């Protein structure tokens, strides 16, 4: 049993947490809110903590003379390794929790109960700050509950506080279906929260020598479908304002509040400097002058860019990227990778780490790079990689593509004659104008917004939401294309998967030709797993 958390205990915690995550990796992967075979939260958390352990293993035990304490040094190595290896939203958030932990404890002479509680609170703050629109019922809720329980213990006893934190996290995990309708519909708890509970239990085992007996959360009864509000940028704002700002953290905090009152789609990201640093400010507003004036008050704005959405250029024919520019695209499937390579993009295999994306950005040799993640989880990894690349002097913009068909649309409008910033905006608009769908097979019984489904049913998801449930693959593919074209469209892109039956894309192309004679269809062998067909409509 331990009275304080030393460097050796940090290393044992990382190793024990990794063992626990690997043991429960499949269980966490299966905690999907929809019955599609792409759950990878457990895998992402394992890979993230593997990178953290590798960073600790590479350390030779040397400690800088003016550096942190020994345990602080170990925690910072662990956090840095997690950041570079973070995969998916869960991995990125976990890396920020560890970063908050390290920052709070680096200079503390001895880590006892109250210090652990303070570190959990700082880790919670860092996790929430990493997410643009925090959602309760997720990993965030679980870490917040752990911090609250640790503070409520109000003790210097490290073992008592560690037990309280792990218990608070377990209770919060059980409540996640009550907070997030999607979890309640599927009858599961949050996957990332489950992973964090395992890490906290591993910490308890390190400091007490006892392994908490906590069974895996039991599935909840499936409830009727419910609706959830999605927060997106509003069309009521006519201008995009973006600039770099040299300012301190306190001034930036006030700027955030002012800009939030002026508009939406607000993103303020810093370079991690302790004092005055460089921040990238982005917001959609109607009052351009007020947005820029707020930056002048906060510090020194430069590279100011103002775009009126109504004046955006129409898409132009494909063009080769100008010297000094490059595109990095995440792709799963040999056919899809070949399409992107044919567009001159650097291709990174699916589910990359932050370090792998940074390496790909550097390999391009370009000073300005656009990254297309093609997956909601990879978007968080891409944003973190962009911040890392910024420190290397490379300007990186992430176009938030959620499907390969959106990336194809974005790459098609690149124009070397435009300013880089304008080109990124045009690519983002092209991607946003491309609606996408995925067709796959259900793996479990579940209630979706389209009704109940059973294993083997064909599911058609439009923009990530189940719209159709069928029994025949070709008929369901044709039906979802009809539904999408019902809202308008001139071009349909079809990407057939690795397990797609022969002739599937041809059958859908023939259907579109008969039903929608004025719509152009492009079909390619994508080779992606899990999804026999990906559809894009522009």
């Amino acid at each position: 049993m331990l009275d304080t958390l030393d460097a050796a205990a940090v290393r044992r915690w990382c190793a024990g947490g990794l063992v626990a995550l690997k043991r429960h990796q499949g269980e966490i992967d299966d905690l999907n809110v929809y019955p599609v075979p792409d759950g990878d939260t457990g895998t992402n958390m394992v890979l993230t903590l593997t990178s953290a352990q590798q960073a600790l293993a590479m350390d030779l035990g040397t400690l800088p003379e003016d550096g942190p304490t020994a345990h602080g040094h170990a925690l910072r190595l662990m956090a840095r390794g997690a950041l570079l290896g973070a995969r998916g939203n869960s991995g990125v958030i976990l890396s920020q929790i560890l970063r908050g932990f390290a920052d709070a404890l680096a200079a503390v002479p001895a880590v006892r109960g109250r210090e652990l509680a303070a570190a959990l609170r700082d880790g919670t703050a860092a996790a929430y700050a990493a997410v643009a629109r925090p959602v309760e019922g997720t990993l965030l809720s679980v870490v917040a509950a752990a911090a609250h329980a640790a503070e409520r213990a109000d003790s210097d006893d490290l073992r008592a506080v560690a037990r309280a934190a792990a218990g608070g996290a377990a209770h919060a995990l059980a409540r996640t279906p009550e907070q997030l309708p999607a979890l309640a519909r599927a009858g599961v708890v949050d996957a990332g929260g489950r992973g964090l509970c395992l890490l906290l239990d591993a910490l308890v085992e390190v400091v007490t020598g006892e392994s908490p007996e906590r069974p895996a959360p039991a599935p909840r009864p499936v409830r009727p479908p419910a609706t959830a509000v999605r927060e997106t940028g509003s069309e009521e704002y006519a201008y995009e304002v973006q600039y770099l700002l040299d300012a301190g953290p306190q001034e930036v905090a006030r700027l955030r509040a002012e800009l939030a009152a002026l508009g939406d789609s607000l993103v303020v990201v810093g370079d991690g400097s302790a004092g005055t640093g460089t921040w990238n400010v982005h917001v959609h507003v109607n009052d351009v002058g007020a947005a820029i004036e707020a930056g002048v008050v906060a510090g020194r704005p430069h590279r100011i860019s103002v775009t009126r959405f109504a004046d955006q250029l129409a898409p132009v024919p494909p063009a080769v990227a100008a010297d000094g520019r490059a595109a990095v695209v995440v792709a799963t499937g040999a056919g899809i990778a070949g399409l992107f390579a044919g567009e001159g993009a650097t291709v990174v295999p699916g589910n990359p780490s932050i370090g792998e994306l940074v390496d790909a950005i550097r390999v391009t040799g370009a000073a300005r790079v656009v990254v297309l993640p093609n997956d909601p989880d990879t978007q968080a990894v891409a944003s973190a990689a962009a911040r890392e690349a910024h420190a290397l002097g490379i300007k990186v913009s992430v176009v938030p593509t959620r499907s390969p068909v959106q990336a194809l649309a974005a790459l098609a409008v690149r124009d070397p004659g435009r300013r880089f910033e304008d080109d990124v905006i045009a690519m983002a608009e092209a991607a946003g104008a491309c609606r996408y769908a995925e067709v796959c097979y259900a793996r479990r019984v579940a209630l979706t917004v389209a009704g109940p489904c059973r294993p083997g049913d064909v599911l058609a998801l439009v923009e990530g939401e189940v719209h159709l449930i069928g029994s025949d693959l070709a008929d369901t593919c044709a039906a979802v294309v009809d539904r999408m074209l019902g809202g308008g469209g001139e071009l349909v892109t079809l990407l057939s998967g690795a397990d797609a039956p022969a002739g599937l894309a041809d059958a859908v192309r023939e259907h579109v030709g008969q039903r929608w004679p004025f719509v152009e269809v492009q079909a390619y062998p994508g080779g992606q797993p899990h999804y026999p067909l990906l559809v894009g409509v522009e």
Side-chain angles (χ1 to χ4, degrees):
M1 295 189 294
L2 299 178
D3 294 323
T4 63
L5 190 70
D6 56 19
V10 170
R11 295 173 182 275
R12 292 199 303 275
W13 176 35
C14 185
L18 181 57
V19 169
L21 284 173
K22 286 183 176 179
R23 186 184 306 126
H24 296 273
Q25 180 176 342
E27 170 205 323
I28 299 173
D29 279 345
D30 285 340
L31 293 176
N32 292 330
V33 296
Y34 285 112
V36 295
D38 61 353
D40 56 4
T41 297
T43 300
N44 287 339
M45 296 188 85
V46 165
L47 293 172
T48 299
L49 208 61
T50 297
S51 181
Q53 188 183 44
Q54 288 172 347
L56 285 169
M58 291 175 64
D59 179 48
L60 300 177
T62 58
L63 189 65
E65 291 183 4
D66 298 328
T69 60
H71 61 262
H73 179 59
L75 284 168
R76 284 187 170 169
L77 287 172
M78 185 177 173
R80 178 68 176 172
L83 175 68
L84 294 180
R87 298 176 190 253
N89 284 329
S90 56
V92 172
I93 294 173
L94 175 59
S95 74
Q96 294 307 291
I97 293 172
L98 294 175
R99 193 208 76 190
F101 231 84
D103 289 347
L105 299 176
V108 173
V111 181
R112 296 186 175 87
R114 286 187 172 84
E115 289 77 17
L116 176 61
L120 281 167
R121 178 56 60 197
D122 284 6
T124 299
Y128 271 86
V131 180
R133 297 183 181 89
V135 176
E136 298 305 319
T138 64
L139 171 56
L140 297 175
S141 303
V142 177
V143 70
H148 182 66
E151 290 175 333
R152 203 168 55 239
D154 192 23
S155 172
D156 281 327
D157 188 330
L158 178 65
R159 290 158 290 185
V161 173
R163 288 191 184 103
H171 284 101
L173 178 66
R175 293 195 304 270
T176 54
E178 300 169 10
Q179 298 171 291
L180 200 57
L183 297 176
R185 288 199 298 268
V188 297
V189 296
D190 178 68
R194 171 64 171 147
L196 181 67
C197 285
L198 291 171
L199 287 181
L200 292 175
D201 284 343
L203 179 61
V204 171
E205 185 169 1
V206 167
V207 300
T208 67
E210 302 169 358
S211 179
E213 292 297 330
R214 238 186 288 275
R220 297 218 171 194
V222 177
R223 302 179 182 177
T227 58
V229 178
R230 294 184 179 182
E231 295 182 5
T232 57
S234 171
E235 295 183 358
E236 69 176 282
Y237 298 108
Y239 296 92
E240 177 192 58
V241 177
Q242 190 163 5
Y243 50 81
L244 296 181
L245 178 72
D246 295 335
Q250 293 183 346
E251 291 78 11
V252 170
R254 289 193 292 268
L255 174 67
R256 278 197 179 101
E258 292 182 32
L259 293 181
L262 289 174
D264 69 1
S265 295
L266 174 63
V267 179
V268 183
V269 179
D271 60 6
S273 300
T276 298
T278 300
W279 306 77
N280 193 313
V281 181
H282 170 282
V283 67
H284 294 177
V285 295
N286 286 326
D287 192 339
V288 173
I292 296 175
E293 183 179 350
V296 173
V297 173
R300 186 180 75 87
H302 51 105
R303 293 193 189 177
I304 300 172
S305 171
V306 178
T307 303
R308 182 172 179 263
F309 294 121
D311 294 337
Q312 289 305 287
L313 300 174
V316 297
V320 179
D323 291 341
R325 298 189 193 179
V328 173
V329 187
V330 179
T332 301
I336 294 175
L339 290 173
F340 289 138
E343 292 288 340
T346 298
V347 181
V348 179
N351 198 28
S353 69
I354 294 173
E356 288 169 341
L357 271 182
V358 172
D359 288 343
I361 291 169
R362 294 177 63 183
V363 165
T364 66
R368 293 166 292 179
V369 180
V370 61
V371 177
L372 302 127
N374 294 339
D375 179 79
D377 280 350
T378 306
Q379 185 175 330
V381 175
S383 297
R387 292 192 293 271
E388 291 291 315
H390 176 77
L392 302 174
I394 306 172
K395 183 171 186 177
V396 180
S397 291
V398 179
V399 174
T401 51
R402 301 168 70 88
S403 170
V405 293
Q406 289 186 319
L408 290 173
L411 291 172
V413 303
R414 284 191 298 169
D415 182 0
R418 281 193 290 246
R419 288 191 318 139
F420 176 70
E421 293 79 5
D422 293 337
D423 212 25
V424 170
I425 291 171
M427 294 175 71
E429 287 189 335
C434 177
R435 287 165 289 149
Y436 68 94
E438 304 148 322
V439 181
C440 63
Y441 291 100
R443 287 204 334 188
R444 59 169 61 92
V445 175
L447 272 178
T448 74
V449 295
C453 69
R454 297 183 178 279
D457 284 348
V458 181
L459 305 180
L461 295 85
V462 179
E463 309 285 339
E465 194 75 83
V466 177
H467 275 225
L468 294 172
I469 301 173
S471 57
D472 182 82
L473 177 62
D475 289 347
T476 305
C477 290
V480 74
V481 173
D482 286 343
R483 177 164 294 194
M484 296 174 75
L485 286 174
E490 299 175 352
L491 172 65
V492 173
T493 301
L494 305 174
L495 299 177
S496 53
D499 300 324
L504 176 63
D506 290 337
V508 177
R509 183 206 296 269
E510 183 178 352
H511 171 83
V512 173
Q514 295 175 353
R515 183 78 181 272
W516 309 90
F518 299 106
V519 173
E520 180 184 353
V521 180
Q522 296 178 345
Y524 307 99
Q528 70 275 2
H530 308 316
Y531 299 97
L533 191 70
L534 299 179
V535 181
V537 173
E538 302 174 55

